[in-house]
Amino acid sequence: MDAIIFHEESKTFKLIAGESNYVLQITPKGQIAHRYWGAPVRDFDLRAMLDLAGGACIDENDENILDESNETFHAEYPGGGAGDWRIPAVTALAQDGSSAVDLRYVSHEIFDGKPALKGLPATYANSSDEAQTLAITVKDKYCGLSAVLYYTVFDGSNAIARHSVLRNDGDTPLSLNYVMSVCVDFPSMDYKMLGLYGAWARERHVEWKPLRRGGQNIQSRRGFSSAQFNPFTALAAPNADEKSGEVYGFSLVYSGSFLIEAEVDVKETTRVVMGINPYDFAWKLDAGEEFTTPEAVLVYSGAGYGEMSRTYHKLYSKNLCRGQWRDKRRPILINNWEATYFKFNADKLVQLAKLAEKQGIEMLVMDDGWFGKRENDHSGLGDWYVNEEKLGCSLDELVNRVNDAGLKFGIWFEPEMVNPDSNLYRAHPDWALAMPTRPRTLGRNQMVLDMSRKEVQDYLVERISDILNSANISYVKWDCNRFITEAFSCALPAERGREIWHRYMLGLYGVLEHLVTAFPKVLFESCASGGARFDPAMLHYMPQTWASDNTDAIDRLKIQYGTSFVYPIRTIGAHVSATPNHQTGRTTPFMTRGDVALQGTFGYELDLAKLSEGDYDQIEDQVDRYHEYQKVIFNGDFYRLISPFDDLTQAAWMYVSADKKNALVQCVMQIMTANHPPRRVKLQGLDPAGFYKIEELGVTMHGDTLMNLGFIIPEVYGDHQSVCLTIKRKG
Ligand code: GLA
């Protein structure tokens, strides 16, 4: 690949990321300047095109006289304390109490492939010629902090992956109090900013807000990436939409507390930083030690949000998710949680499996309640030993019975947690995060284990491995049902106490790495009270995430719509559940529930014994449709057509196969109104010259007609009805 060019004369690097350029320059005094990110430009030296006038802190008498004032400088990785008062990328506190950082160029390297990040999940290159990396070494010669700034571009993708490795090259310790993964300076403030906000059962709702002067942020301080905000934002031109306009995506490959801040300064330029949340964070860097930031994945689209999302979908499907399940069709599963909650035994599960098999369902997942003393959510977490008394048999026997019924078997864990009422807590109270001098805060009656501790990591690996080895288990649901409070490890020395937030994540990632490597055939799905940890980092270990505890098809329209801004459809856990829905009390047609669950991994979560014959017929149809369209949904391109946020009546989306021969369009009537005006939908992603038949309408038209004129969504009667249109290319 020849995607990274160094223009010797102007000391400029140009990263050619698909159909976008990212340009940075070394100034004569070694500052690393950010010059441009966007659609391709032919020139290298872009300095004259930027307003860099004014600004304080240029001292003509100093040998370090700056070429460009730090105050107005567009910087790649700015430090604080040396004339740049905007939000920094890094600050370091030296032993003498000083804290300025000004990183200057030392050397650079351009090489094929992409290096792994030590202990952290990240995108990867499938072969060394699929990616190219630029590594720039910079150093502050006063405080001794050095950094290697990594930039990777991927063949044919508009994405750039960035991270930094900081090193203490001095003789005395430094404290990193603020260390971002990425900083990008934009030459204007004419953007709107996207936040995917939410709460339990209402994750990843879409909110665009115009940038205003000063700072605006999106963050989690909860220890996990959270349902409240996703570690993602996009800046878009004010008039950008799904199909047009410039959009800049920022996605953080991290599951812990994060910060994304956009700051508009006096010059009306905008700085965006993203990384580990500096709140309550400090990391001691002893002489010679290194710190690796999580990875940030930037995506440029000149053609609206839709194109940005598809760029993330492709990259995260093929260069972030891993393992045998990455590209494999996922089995249609039935999960017993909403069917039984804690009240089940082996006979009930086997009954469910037998009914499921008749419907073409392929795997039974045994959810919470099979271990320890676990009849409700007050006790048992941490005791990962099978409760044979409750099940009425051993796990192996149960799994064999389910396998004999023709289904694979999956199992639920919530490894990072412990109930005070558990044998584990009674034996090791110090294994839970808590502050010895304060009362503990419980969440769902549980505490969070100290994942930074080797003993805890070893215990979990041993217990989970033991269970997975004891029976023919094909799938694991890895849950995490509360946030972190009293973030304190009694195993860390005081001066490293604030490292706990990040050490927790490193410990968790280590355990996950171990398990997915040791059990490559097992399909892992992540979950956190539904979708409270739906982030790219988790997808590196587990190729699908339960999107929400809210299984209501109408609420799911919004949750899945927001999720699709970054995350591939094939990673979105979605199930058909019972009505009235357990979270909303709403009754929706069985068909709609199936159509909405198709927008994801597809499965069921209800008691099949309570269904009618009519429902069984619907399941048969849904399973057939899943098999017919799974490849298009899993591997195809996804287009959002009508936003459930903008339109109170309809929502619509579609999938198009890579060869553009097949497409599936789905529309859902959110709320019916009598005599409502006809709703027109314009398709996307077809070949304009292709001749396509919409099977259900019996109409054959060219792709350009379907995309530019569109057609009226067939009339339905009643709330929450869905329409599914199958489109086949005929010529
Ligand atoms: C969380 C999950 C649910 C279920 C329960 C079990 O809420 O999101 O799917 O597994 O825990 O306690």
Side-chain angles (χ1 to χ4, degrees):
M1 251 181 98
D2 256 343
I4 300 178
I5 301 168
F6 181 57
H7 187 249
E8 191 68 58
E9 193 188 322
S10 63
K11 300 269 182 276
T12 298
F13 299 99
K14 186 182 281 187
L15 280 58
I16 303 167
E19 286 161 11
S20 64
N21 285 179
Y22 188 104
V23 182
L24 49 152
Q25 189 172 24
I26 312 164
T27 71
K29 285 284 157 50
Q31 295 163 281
I32 309 295
H34 175 76
R35 296 304 192 208
Y36 178 72
W37 180 25
V41 292
R42 283 189 170 72
D43 299 300
F44 283 94
D45 190 352
L46 305 177
R47 183 185 155 134
M49 308 312 293
L50 297 165
D51 169 24
L52 301 166
C57 302
I58 295 186
D59 180 351
E60 302 288 339
N61 301 317
D62 190 325
E63 54 150 14
N64 282 316
I65 168 179
L66 296 172
D67 308 301
E68 295 173 25
S69 165
N70 270 341
E71 186 178 5
T72 49
F73 183 59
H74 291 200
E76 277 300 318
Y77 208 66
D84 185 344
W85 291 279
R86 291 163 293 178
I87 189 158
V90 61
T91 69
L93 183 64
Q95 219 175 21
D96 64 4
S98 64
S99 78
V101 173
D102 190 355
L103 297 162
R104 305 287 181 96
Y105 176 83
V106 175
S107 63
H108 75 267
E109 214 187 330
I110 295 170
F111 52 90
D112 287 343
K114 180 177 191 295
L117 274 67
K118 206 172 155 206
L120 285 166
T123 55
Y124 60 90
N126 289 285
S127 62
S128 64
D129 58 0
E130 195 196 22
Q132 200 170 35
T133 299
L134 164 66
I136 307 177
T137 302
V138 289
K139 184 171 175 169
D140 180 312
K141 65 179 177 185
Y142 301 101
C143 76
L145 185 70
S146 75
V148 184
L149 314 179
Y150 288 93
Y151 301 79
T152 298
V153 292
F154 302 85
D155 195 16
S157 173
N158 279 16
I160 298 173
R162 281 183 64 176
H163 76 280
S164 306
V165 177
L166 295 119
R167 200 178 56 241
N168 183 353
D169 282 342
D171 307 323
T172 53
L174 291 170
S175 174
L176 296 175
N177 299 337
Y178 195 106
V179 50
M180 294 289 118
S181 299
V182 70
C183 169
V184 177
D185 279 336
F186 291 85
S188 88
M189 64 174 287
D190 297 331
Y191 301 103
K192 53 183 176 182
M193 182 178 180
L194 173 65
L196 297 178
Y197 74 97
W200 174 76
R202 190 164 45 81
E203 297 90 340
R204 290 171 300 287
H205 279 214
V206 169
E207 183 177 54
W208 287 99
K209 278 194 180 161
L211 286 184
R212 51 179 176 69
R213 290 169 183 79
Q216 41 244 289
N217 66 50
I218 288 169
Q219 62 180 308
S220 165
R221 298 191 195 99
R222 294 167 181 261
F224 300 132
S225 46
S226 92
Q228 283 64 20
F229 277 106
N230 198 261
F232 169 77
T233 195
L235 258 53
N239 60 352
D241 58 22
E242 281 291 334
K243 294 196 280 188
S244 68
E246 294 201 292
V247 187
Y248 299 85
F250 292 79
S251 167
L252 189 66
V253 188
Y254 194 55
S255 317
S257 297
F258 69 90
L259 172 71
I260 301 171
E261 177 138 359
E263 188 179 75
V264 177
D265 74 346
V266 288
K267 291 233 167 195
E268 294 185 352
T269 63
T270 306
R271 172 167 292 174
V272 177
V273 297
M274 174 166 75
I276 292 176
N277 200 322
Y279 162 74
D280 201 30
F281 167 86
W283 191 277
K284 184 168 179 237
L285 212 53
D286 276 331
E289 277 184 354
E290 284 185 355
F291 181 87
T292 303
T293 71
E295 177 168 280
V297 179
L298 312 184
V299 165
Y300 170 78
S301 160
Y305 334 135
E307 195 55 37
M308 174 200 69
S309 299
R310 286 184 290 280
T311 303
Y312 277 116
H313 292 180
K314 283 190 189 116
L315 189 78
Y316 285 177
S317 296
K318 298 286 186 189
N319 299 83
L320 177 72
C321 294
R322 298 178 288 171
Q324 295 185 5
W325 283 102
R326 189 186 77 172
D327 299 327
K328 248 206 238 171
R329 182 176 79 74
R330 315 284 161 75
I332 302 175
L333 65 79
I334 179 150
N335 179 303
N336 76 308
W337 179 241
E338 286 197 18
T340 67
Y341 295 102
F342 290 104
K343 289 195 175 43
F344 63 89
N345 58 20
D347 289 345
K348 177 66 198 173
L349 296 177
V350 172
Q351 181 210 24
L352 209 53
K354 285 182 176 161
L355 288 170
E357 193 275 334
K358 287 196 197 129
Q359 304 304 317
I361 295 170
E362 299 158 311
M363 180 163 74
L364 176 93
V365 175
M366 175 171 69
D367 210 278
D368 192 356
W370 56 266
F371 52 90
K373 192 183 100 194
R374 185 78 172 164
E375 294 305 334
N376 51 45
D377 61 16
H378 284 261
S379 60
L381 284 179
D383 298 340
W384 301 109
Y385 296 89
V386 181
N387 185 340
E388 295 189 358
E389 205 182 314
K390 172 172 176 171
L391 289 183
C393 64
S394 71
L395 182 61
D396 189 38
E397 280 173 80
L398 167 60
V399 176
N400 286 336
R401 287 173 69 191
V402 170
N403 288 168
D404 289 346
L407 268 71
K408 294 175 189 295
F409 187 89
I411 194 166
W412 179 96
F413 287 95
E414 196 183 351
E416 299 153 72
M417 302 290 157
V418 64
N419 285 119
D421 185 2
S422 66
N423 294 334
L424 182 71
Y425 187 75
R426 282 183 282 274
H428 301 286
D430 58 319
W431 283 12
L433 296 174
M435 295 183 180
T437 55
R438 281 179 184 279
R440 64 190 181 210
T441 305
L442 294 184
R444 210 194 187 203
N445 312 301
Q446 64 201 50
M447 298 175 75
V448 184
L449 285 175
D450 181 355
M451 294 298 293
S452 75
R453 287 180 73 152
K454 178 86 172 55
E455 310 86 304
V456 174
Q457 297 162 15
D458 290 349
Y459 170 76
L460 292 176
V461 165
E462 189 267 320
R463 281 289 81 240
I464 294 168
S465 304
D466 188 51
I467 299 283
L468 296 185
N469 283 324
S470 73
N472 183 25
I473 293 172
S474 307
Y475 161 106
V476 165
K477 177 175 169 187
W478 183 291
D479 213 335
C480 169
N481 284 323
R482 61 157 290 182
F483 296 117
I484 293 179
T485 56
E486 289 87 36
F488 184 83
S489 166
C490 43
L492 285 175
E495 80 264 21
R496 291 198 177 271
R498 296 303 85 216
E499 295 174 14
I500 183 60
W501 300 100
H502 185 56
R503 286 191 183 273
Y504 181 101
M505 295 319 309
L506 294 176
L508 171 61
Y509 293 146
V511 168
L512 284 168
E513 184 68 38
H514 185 107
L515 290 171
V516 300
T517 310
F519 298 96
K521 289 191 184 142
V522 173
L523 168 62
F524 284 80
E525 173 158 359
S526 92
C527 174
S529 306
R533 214 163 50 180
F534 204 136
D535 60 56
M538 283 293 142
L539 291 179
H540 189 60
Y541 304 100
M542 308 188 250
Q544 57 191 62
T545 301
W546 180 227
S548 179
D549 275 351
N550 188 341
T551 55
D552 177 282
I554 300 304
D555 278 4
R556 276 280 181 141
L557 294 174
K558 289 186 173 141
I559 294 167
Q560 293 172 190
Y561 176 91
T563 307
S564 77
F565 266 77
V566 199
Y567 305 104
I569 302 305
R570 58 159 89 175
T571 66
I572 301 177
H575 300 165
V576 175
S577 64
T579 56
N581 179 269
H582 293 195
Q583 293 76 39
T584 62
R586 186 170 13 231
T587 298
T588 49
F590 210 98
M591 177 172 160
T592 305
R593 283 177 267 155
D595 284 343
V596 174
L598 265 188
Q599 196 189 61
T601 55
F602 194 68
Y604 290 83
E605 184 151 345
L606 39 65
D607 191 350
L608 293 172
K610 293 185 180 148
L611 298 187
S612 67
E613 277 307 316
D615 291 340
Y616 287 137
D617 292 345
Q618 299 248 15
I619 296 185
E620 211 178 303
D621 290 349
Q622 290 171 355
V623 167
D624 285 350
R625 180 169 286 160
Y626 168 78
H627 285 296
E628 195 181 345
Y629 278 94
Q630 182 275 333
K631 280 207 177 88
V632 178
I633 296 170
F634 198 82
N635 300 319
D637 290 329
F638 180 71
Y639 296 86
R640 293 178 292 265
L641 302 179
I642 301 176
S643 162
F645 292 95
D646 297 345
D647 189 311
L648 294 180
T649 56
Q650 287 282 359
W653 61 93
M654 71 184 288
Y655 316 86
V656 183
S657 63
D659 61 9
K660 296 191 185 291
K661 285 190 175 154
N662 283 293
L664 181 70
V665 178
Q666 297 188 293
C667 314
V668 173
M669 175 64 76
Q670 297 199 80
I671 301 284
M672 182 72 188
T673 44
N675 196 16
H676 63 87
R679 193 71 170 95
R680 181 170 289 279
V681 67
K682 294 180 182 180
L683 302 189
Q684 294 184 45
L686 303 175
D687 179 349
F691 210 42
Y692 292 94
K693 180 165 186 198
I694 307 180
E695 303 284 342
E696 291 73 6
L697 303 185
V699 174
T700 307
M701 287 280 162
H702 281 100
D704 52 10
T705 306
L706 295 172
M707 294 192 290
N708 297 327
L709 174 60
F711 57 88
I712 292 166
I713 300 174
E715 190 71 22
V716 289
Y717 187 65
D719 281 346
H720 321 317
Q721 304 288 332
S722 66
V723 172
C724 220
L725 301 172
T726 51
I727 298 183
K728 291 196 169 29
R729 186 168 181 160
K730 299 291 175 191

